[in-house]
Coordinates of all heavy atoms in Angstrom, one line a residue:
V1665 N 131.2 78.4 88.1 CA 132.6 77.9 88.0 C 132.6 76.4 87.8 O 133.3 75.9 87.0 CB 133.5 78.4 89.2 CG1 134.9 77.8 89.0 CG2 133.6 79.9 89.2
G1666 N 131.8 75.7 88.7 CA 131.8 74.3 88.6 C 131.3 73.8 87.3 O 131.9 72.8 86.8
A1670 N 132.0 80.0 84.0 CA 132.7 81.2 84.4 C 134.1 80.7 84.9 O 134.3 79.6 85.4 CB 132.0 81.8 85.6
P1671 N 135.1 81.6 84.8 CA 136.4 81.3 85.3 C 136.4 81.3 86.8 O 135.5 81.9 87.5 CB 137.3 82.4 84.7 CG 136.4 83.5 84.6 CD 135.0 83.0 84.2
A1672 N 137.4 80.7 87.4 CA 137.5 80.6 88.9 C 137.6 82.0 89.5 O 137.2 82.2 90.7 CB 138.7 79.7 89.3
D1673 N 138.1 83.0 88.8 CA 138.2 84.3 89.3 C 136.8 84.9 89.6 O 136.7 86.0 90.2 CB 139.0 85.2 88.4 CG 140.5 84.9 88.4 OD1 140.9 84.3 89.4 OD2 141.2 85.3 87.4
A1674 N 135.7 84.3 89.2 CA 134.4 84.7 89.5 C 134.2 84.7 91.0 O 133.3 85.4 91.5 CB 133.3 83.9 88.8
V1675 N 135.0 83.9 91.7 CA 134.9 84.0 93.2 C 135.2 85.4 93.7 O 134.5 85.8 94.7 CB 135.9 82.9 93.8 CG1 136.0 83.1 95.3 CG2 135.4 81.5 93.5
A1676 N 136.2 86.0 93.1 CA 136.5 87.4 93.6 C 135.4 88.3 93.3 O 135.0 89.2 94.2 CB 137.8 87.9 92.8
A1716 N 137.2 71.9 95.5 CA 137.6 73.3 95.4 C 136.5 74.2 95.9 O 136.8 75.2 96.6 CB 137.8 73.6 93.9
T1720 N 136.8 76.8 99.1 CA 136.6 78.2 99.0 C 135.7 78.7 100.1 O 136.0 79.8 100.7 CB 135.8 78.5 97.6 OG1 136.6 78.1 96.5 CG2 135.5 80.0 97.5
F1778 N 142.4 90.0 96.8 CA 142.6 89.2 95.6 C 143.7 89.8 94.7 O 144.0 89.3 93.6 CB 141.3 89.1 94.8 CG 140.2 88.3 95.4 CD1 139.3 88.7 96.4 CD2 140.2 86.9 95.1 CE1 138.4 87.9 96.9 CE2 139.2 86.1 95.7 CZ 138.3 86.6 96.6
A1782 N 148.5 87.9 96.0 CA 147.7 86.8 95.4 C 147.7 87.0 93.9 O 147.6 86.0 93.2 CB 146.3 86.9 96.0
A1783 N 147.8 88.2 93.4 CA 147.8 88.4 92.0 C 149.1 87.9 91.3 O 149.2 87.8 90.1 CB 147.5 89.9 91.7
D1784 N 150.1 87.7 92.2 CA 151.4 87.3 91.7 C 151.5 85.8 91.5 O 152.5 85.2 91.0 CB 152.5 87.7 92.6 CG 152.7 89.2 92.6 OD1 152.4 89.9 91.6 OD2 153.2 89.8 93.6
V1785 N 150.4 85.1 91.9 CA 150.4 83.6 91.7 C 150.1 83.4 90.2 O 149.2 83.9 89.6 CB 149.2 83.0 92.5 CG1 149.1 81.5 92.2 CG2 149.5 83.2 94.0
R1786 N 151.0 82.5 89.6 CA 150.9 82.3 88.2 C 150.8 80.8 87.9 O 151.6 80.0 88.5 CB 152.2 82.8 87.4 CG 152.3 84.3 87.5 CD 151.3 84.9 86.5 NE 151.4 86.4 86.4 CZ 150.7 87.2 87.2 NH1 149.8 86.7 88.0 NH2 150.9 88.5 87.1
V1787 N 149.9 80.4 87.0 CA 149.7 79.0 86.7 C 150.8 78.7 85.6 O 150.7 79.3 84.5 CB 148.3 78.7 86.2 CG1 148.2 77.2 85.7 CG2 147.3 79.0 87.3
V1788 N 151.7 77.7 85.8 CA 152.7 77.4 84.9 C 152.4 76.1 84.2 O 152.9 75.7 83.1 CB 154.1 77.3 85.5 CG1 154.5 78.7 86.0 CG2 154.2 76.3 86.6
D1789 N 151.5 75.3 84.8 CA 151.0 74.0 84.2 C 149.6 73.7 84.7 O 149.4 73.6 85.9 CB 152.0 72.9 84.5 CG 151.6 71.6 83.8 OD1 150.9 71.7 82.8 OD2 152.1 70.5 84.2
G1790 N 148.7 73.7 83.7 CA 147.3 73.5 84.1 C 146.4 74.6 83.4 O 146.9 75.4 82.6
D1791 N 145.1 74.6 83.8 CA 144.2 75.5 83.2 C 144.0 76.8 84.0 O 143.4 76.7 85.1 CB 142.8 74.8 83.0 CG 141.8 75.7 82.3 OD1 142.1 76.9 82.0 OD2 140.7 75.2 82.0
P1792 N 144.5 77.9 83.6 CA 144.5 79.1 84.4 C 143.0 79.5 84.8 O 142.8 80.2 85.8 CB 145.2 80.2 83.6 CG 146.0 79.5 82.6 CD 145.3 78.2 82.3
D1793 N 142.1 79.2 83.9 CA 140.7 79.6 84.1 C 140.1 78.8 85.3 O 139.0 79.2 85.8 CB 139.9 79.4 82.9 CG 140.1 80.5 81.9 OD1 140.6 81.6 82.3 OD2 139.7 80.4 80.7
R1794 N 140.7 77.7 85.7 CA 140.2 76.9 86.8 C 140.9 77.2 88.1 O 140.6 76.5 89.1 CB 140.3 75.4 86.5 CG 139.8 75.0 85.1 CD 138.3 75.2 85.1 NE 137.5 74.3 85.8 CZ 136.2 74.4 86.2 NH1 135.6 75.5 85.8 NH2 135.6 73.5 86.9
V1795 N 141.8 78.2 88.1 CA 142.6 78.4 89.3 C 142.3 79.9 89.8 O 142.3 80.8 88.9 CB 144.1 78.2 89.1 CG1 144.9 78.6 90.3 CG2 144.3 76.7 88.7
T1796 N 142.2 80.1 91.0 CA 142.1 81.5 91.6 C 142.9 81.5 92.9 O 143.1 80.4 93.5 CB 140.6 81.9 91.8 OG1 140.6 83.3 92.1 CG2 139.9 81.1 92.9
A1797 N 143.2 82.7 93.4 CA 144.0 82.8 94.6 C 143.6 84.1 95.3 O 143.2 85.1 94.7 CB 145.5 82.8 94.3
W1798 N 143.8 84.1 96.6 CA 143.6 85.3 97.4 C 144.4 85.2 98.7 O 144.9 84.1 99.1 CB 142.1 85.5 97.8 CG 141.5 84.4 98.6 CD1 141.4 84.3 99.9 CD2 140.8 83.3 98.1 NE1 140.7 83.1 100.3 CE2 140.3 82.5 99.2 CE3 140.4 82.8 96.8 CZ2 139.6 81.3 99.0 CZ3 139.7 81.7 96.6 CH2 139.3 80.9 97.7
I1826 N 148.4 82.9 101.6 CA 147.8 82.9 100.3 C 147.1 81.6 100.1 O 147.6 80.5 100.3 CB 149.0 83.0 99.2 CG1 149.6 84.4 99.3 CG2 148.4 82.9 97.8 CD1 150.7 84.6 98.4
V1827 N 145.8 81.7 99.7 CA 145.0 80.5 99.4 C 144.9 80.4 97.9 O 144.6 81.3 97.2 CB 143.6 80.7 100.0 CG1 142.7 79.5 99.6 CG2 143.6 80.9 101.5
V1828 N 145.3 79.2 97.4 CA 145.1 78.9 95.9 C 144.1 77.7 95.8 O 144.3 76.7 96.4 CB 146.5 78.4 95.3 CG1 146.4 78.2 93.8 CG2 147.6 79.5 95.6
V1829 N 143.1 77.9 95.0 CA 142.1 76.9 94.8 C 142.1 76.5 93.3 O 142.1 77.4 92.4 CB 140.7 77.5 95.2 CG1 139.6 76.5 94.8 CG2 140.7 77.8 96.7
N1830 N 142.0 75.2 93.1 CA 142.0 74.7 91.7 C 140.7 73.9 91.5 O 140.5 72.8 92.1 CB 143.2 73.8 91.5 CG 143.2 73.1 90.2 OD1 142.6 73.5 89.2 ND2 143.9 71.9 90.1
F1831 N 139.8 74.4 90.6 CA 138.6 73.7 90.3 C 138.8 72.6 89.2 O 137.8 71.9 88.8 CB 137.5 74.7 89.8 CG 136.9 75.5 90.9 CD1 137.6 76.6 91.4 CD2 135.7 75.1 91.5 CE1 137.0 77.4 92.4 CE2 135.1 75.9 92.5 CZ 135.8 77.0 92.9
G1832 N 140.0 72.5 88.6 CA 140.2 71.6 87.5 C 140.3 70.2 88.0 O 140.5 69.8 89.1
S1833 N 140.2 69.3 87.0 CA 140.2 67.8 87.3 C 141.6 67.3 87.3 O 141.8 66.1 87.7 CB 139.4 67.1 86.2 OG 140.0 67.3 84.9
E1834 N 142.6 68.1 87.0 CA 144.0 67.7 87.0 C 144.7 68.7 87.9 O 144.3 69.9 88.0 CB 144.6 67.7 85.6 CG 144.0 66.8 84.7 CD 144.3 65.3 85.1 OE1 145.3 65.1 85.8 OE2 143.4 64.5 84.7
P1835 N 145.8 68.3 88.6 CA 146.6 69.2 89.4 C 147.1 70.4 88.6 O 147.4 70.2 87.4 CB 147.7 68.4 90.0 CG 147.2 67.0 89.9 CD 146.3 66.9 88.7
A1836 N 147.2 71.5 89.2 CA 147.8 72.7 88.6 C 149.1 73.0 89.3 O 149.3 72.9 90.5 CB 146.9 73.9 88.7
I1837 N 150.1 73.4 88.5 CA 151.4 73.8 89.1 C 151.4 75.4 89.0 O 151.2 76.0 87.9 CB 152.6 73.3 88.3 CG1 152.5 71.8 88.1 CG2 153.9 73.7 88.9 CD1 152.6 71.0 89.4
V1838 N 151.6 76.0 90.2 CA 151.6 77.5 90.2 C 152.9 78.0 90.8 O 153.5 77.3 91.6 CB 150.4 78.0 91.1 CG1 149.1 77.5 90.6 CG2 150.6 77.5 92.6
R1839 N 153.3 79.1 90.3 CA 154.5 79.8 90.8 C 154.0 80.8 91.8 O 153.0 81.6 91.5 CB 155.3 80.5 89.7 CG 156.5 81.2 90.2 CD 157.3 81.8 89.0 NE 157.9 80.7 88.3 CZ 159.1 80.0 88.6 NH1 159.7 80.4 89.8 NH2 159.6 79.1 87.9
V1840 N 154.6 80.9 93.0 CA 154.2 81.7 94.1 C 155.2 82.7 94.4 O 156.4 82.6 94.0 CB 153.8 80.9 95.3 CG1 152.7 79.9 95.0 CG2 155.0 80.1 95.8
V1858 N 154.4 75.3 93.2 CA 153.6 74.4 94.1 C 152.5 73.6 93.3 O 151.8 74.2 92.4 CB 152.9 75.3 95.2 CG1 152.0 74.4 96.1 CG2 153.9 76.1 96.0
A1859 N 152.4 72.3 93.5 CA 151.4 71.5 92.9 C 150.1 71.7 93.7 O 150.1 71.4 95.0 CB 151.8 70.1 92.8
V1860 N 149.0 72.0 93.1 CA 147.8 72.2 93.8 C 146.7 71.3 93.2 O 146.3 71.4 92.1 CB 147.3 73.7 93.7 CG1 145.9 73.9 94.4 CG2 148.3 74.7 94.2
D1861 N 146.3 70.3 94.1 CA 145.2 69.5 93.7 C 143.9 70.3 93.7 O 143.3 70.7 92.7 CB 145.1 68.2 94.6 CG 146.3 67.3 94.3 OD1 146.7 67.2 93.2 OD2 146.7 66.6 95.3
A1862 N 143.3 70.5 94.9 CA 142.1 71.3 95.1 C 142.4 72.6 95.8 O 141.9 73.6 95.4 CB 141.1 70.5 95.9
V1863 N 143.3 72.5 96.8 CA 143.6 73.8 97.5 C 145.0 73.7 98.2 O 145.4 72.6 98.5 CB 142.5 74.0 98.6 CG1 142.5 72.9 99.7 CG2 142.7 75.4 99.3
A1864 N 145.6 74.8 98.2 CA 146.8 75.0 99.0 C 146.7 76.2 99.8 O 146.2 77.3 99.3 CB 148.1 75.1 98.1
L1866 N 149.1 78.7 101.8 CA 150.5 78.9 101.7 C 150.9 80.0 102.7 O 150.3 81.0 102.8 CB 150.9 79.3 100.3 CG 150.5 78.3 99.2 CD1 150.9 78.9 97.8 CD2 151.2 76.9 99.4

Side-chain angles (χ1 to χ4, degrees):
V1665 175
D1673 286 342
V1675 169
T1720 299
F1778 288 90
D1784 293 334
V1785 174
R1786 294 286 181 267
V1787 177
V1788 296
D1789 186 17
D1791 185 352
D1793 282 345
R1794 307 298 286 167
V1795 178
T1796 190
W1798 59 89
I1826 295 178
V1827 179
V1828 184
V1829 174
N1830 174 25
F1831 285 83
S1833 57
E1834 299 294 333
I1837 307 298
V1838 300
R1839 181 173 292 278
V1840 298
V1858 181
V1860 181
D1861 290 329
V1863 62
L1866 305 174

